Amino acid sequence: MNVYDARRMADVLAPLGYAHVETPEDADLIILNTCHIREKAAEKVYSELGRLRQLKGDREDGGDPMMIGVAGCVAQAEGTEMLRRAPYVDLVFGPQTYHRLPEMIARALRAAGETSGPGRGVIDTEFPVESKFDSLPQAVETGPSAFLTVQEGCDRFCAFCVVPYTRGAEYSRPAEDVLAEARRLVEAGAREITLLGQNVNAYHGAAPSGGEWRLAALLEALADIDGLDRIRYTTSHPRDMTADLIEAHGRIGKLMPFLHLPVQSGSDQVLAAMNRQHRVEDYLRIIDQLREQRPDLALSSDFIVGHPGETEEDFEATLALVRQVGYAQAYSFKYSLRPGTPASVMKDAVPDGEKSDRLARLQSLLKDQQQAFNDSFAGLTVPVLLDRRGRGDAQLAGRTPWMQAVHVDFEASSQADAAYGRTVSVRILSAHPNSLAAKPNEVTASTQEAAAV
Ligand code: 5AD
Ligand code: SF4
């Protein structure tokens, strides 16, 4: 979502004359867009700011002003503290106010003209009543694969999680706005859209003709857009995996057979302490139902090890769950205390050494599963949306329907140029832990030649 937000900030700044530059030294404005989900985020921001301070000083010594902004959830959480610790920062703003960047910049420029030193930075960490989405300009640029935020914030209040406090309460964009943005993205060249939300499957936006649409209805309408080939959504909560959404996975061909469905733990006691509001068996039932709808569905998840109260037995239950489900990919983290969350005052903290040990064991199992999943593709022919340049002129990179990264080597750069932005059938030559290597399928190559003739 930070990638999406950063792109939208660039859209807001474009009418003011700002454009991307390649190096920070050349920038008139540098914005650090930050994430607060785990510890040390704030410290990392301050150390990065220390480096930028130097840059800003050098530039201003030469009489050339430079502005520094901090955006995102660290800015939201730190607020005035950030200006106290880093008084050379000009702008501090949260994830809900970046549509106001032009006026913040104007205020910061005025303040810089009037005073210097501490106290001149502009802060905007409100949760405004207006939605930023109503004020943002239309998305102008996109690659073949685009993000689209449909829902923000979260009302689930998992005990360990800071998101409900930093991103705020749940908000779903009206379906009409989402569809309009999707059509614009497709017109601008997007072939794949990933719908984003902290808890995206809780989506319940205003429907075009009154009432509300849940995510399944939105997916159905998006699938009708000509030129859009692939739809994904992330991140979901098991409790919001409703029957209509599960069925959508069987019904909507454009919905890709890959789902990121975080479970966090395989122990009912830990799930209860985490306030996840479901049991292990509920999660397993959902997975079964999804696989009934879409037998080739690949799964991904998030795991936290060492949540307060987690015993060795609880952790082993997580390993057992992983073995039972079989993941194509997953993210796993050591529990990280977030001040202000219910888990931060829970007893029975797990020692860091124990957390590290459990993380290593879990990651080793997940890595084996990911390798086995990738290995099972060797020799197969799969469609890949080529959305990035690879190494050299004749290589492109993209993703399979199951989210694996693929590097495709063409025989000539002209072939690669022609294939960029398209979904191409490729033959998988070898499988690596994090990617697949492929060449264009001969059938496709000859079809292309026939078309060229
Ligand atoms: N400690 C460790 N991991 C966390 N996550 C969220 N909060 C914490 C925390 N306090 C992880 C969860 C979530 C993912 C986005 O980040 O696994 O699904
Ligand atoms: Fe955080 Fe996700 Fe739980 Fe919401 S559902 S509180 S974003 S972990």
Side-chain angles (χ1 to χ4, degrees), residues 350-393:
V350 177
D352 191 58
E354 191 60 48
K355 282 195 242 178
S356 301
D357 179 63
R358 289 178 192 169
L359 187 68
R361 286 156 67 198
L362 175 60
Q363 290 190 335
S364 150
L365 175 60
L366 290 168
K367 190 171 146 239
D368 289 350
Q369 291 196 341
Q370 185 171 328
Q371 181 76 57
F373 182 70
N374 284 349
D375 285 346
S376 71
F377 282 75
L380 297 187
T381 297
V382 293
V384 172
L385 173 59
L386 296 162
D387 63 344
R388 274 165 296 150
R389 301 269 159 201
R391 238 181 266 148
D393 292 344

Side-chain angles (χ1 to χ4, degrees), residues 113-314:
E114 285 162 11
T115 52
S116 62
R120 63 187 183 85
V122 171
I123 298 192
D124 192 346
T125 50
E126 263 185 56
F127 287 108
V129 282
E130 86 272 11
S131 160
K132 64 174 177 259
F133 295 109
D134 294 335
S135 319
L136 290 171
Q138 298 187 354
V140 273
E141 269 177 52
T142 177
S145 179
F147 289 133
L148 201 175
T149 294
V150 302
Q151 178 278 335
E152 270 194 297
C154 187
D155 292 343
R156 284 252 165 239
F157 290 91
C158 299
F160 53 81
C161 185
V162 79
V163 165
Y165 312 97
T166 49
R167 282 269 174 180
E170 202 169 309
Y171 167 78
S172 294
R173 294 177 68 187
E176 199 74 83
D177 295 3
V178 173
L179 292 171
E181 189 167 328
R183 283 189 209 103
R184 267 196 313 273
L185 287 167
V186 172
E187 272 161 32
R191 294 292 162 261
E192 169 176 276
I193 292 182
T194 302
L195 305 182
L196 301 178
Q198 265 83 36
N199 187 10
V200 71
N201 60 343
Y203 176 85
H204 55 101
S209 48
E212 255 181 19
W213 271 1
R214 293 196 43 90
L215 188 62
L218 184 66
L219 292 169
E220 197 97 54
L222 284 163
D224 284 339
I225 297 177
D226 284 337
L228 179 60
D229 301 333
R230 292 177 163 196
I231 306 172
R232 305 179 187 275
Y233 63 90
T234 198
T235 287
S236 298
H237 191 293
R239 275 293 297 267
D240 294 301
M241 213 64 222
T242 47
D244 57 337
L245 184 54
I246 292 173
E247 277 161 26
H249 280 268
R251 208 174 47 239
I252 304 177
K254 289 184 183 181
L255 190 54
M256 290 292 101
F258 175 88
L259 182 65
H260 182 66
L261 190 60
V263 65
Q264 316 296 355
S265 168
S267 150
D268 282 339
Q269 280 95 285
V270 175
L271 289 175
M274 288 176 163
N275 189 33
R276 291 287 290 179
Q277 300 162 36
H278 68 82
R279 288 159 307 167
V280 172
E281 73 176 67
D282 303 316
Y283 179 81
L284 292 173
R285 196 180 52 247
I286 292 165
I287 302 283
D288 282 348
Q289 290 169 346
L290 281 162
R291 283 178 166 159
E292 244 166 61
Q293 291 291 329
R294 187 84 212 223
D296 65 341
L297 187 79
L299 287 151
S300 157
S301 194
D302 289 342
F303 297 92
I304 296 178
V305 298
H307 189 272
E310 186 190 71
T311 62
E312 170 63 22
E313 208 185 336
D314 292 322

Side-chain angles (χ1 to χ4, degrees), residues 10 31 61 103 248 258 263 308:
I31 298 175
D61 288 346
E103 66 184 89
F258 175 88
V263 65

Side-chain angles (χ1 to χ4, degrees), residues 37-38 160-161 262 264 302 304 333-336 338:
I37 193 100
R38 281 172 295 276
F160 53 81
C161 185
Q264 316 296 355
D302 289 342
I304 296 178
F333 314 99
K334 286 201 269 186
Y335 166 74
S336 165
R338 311 311 290 127

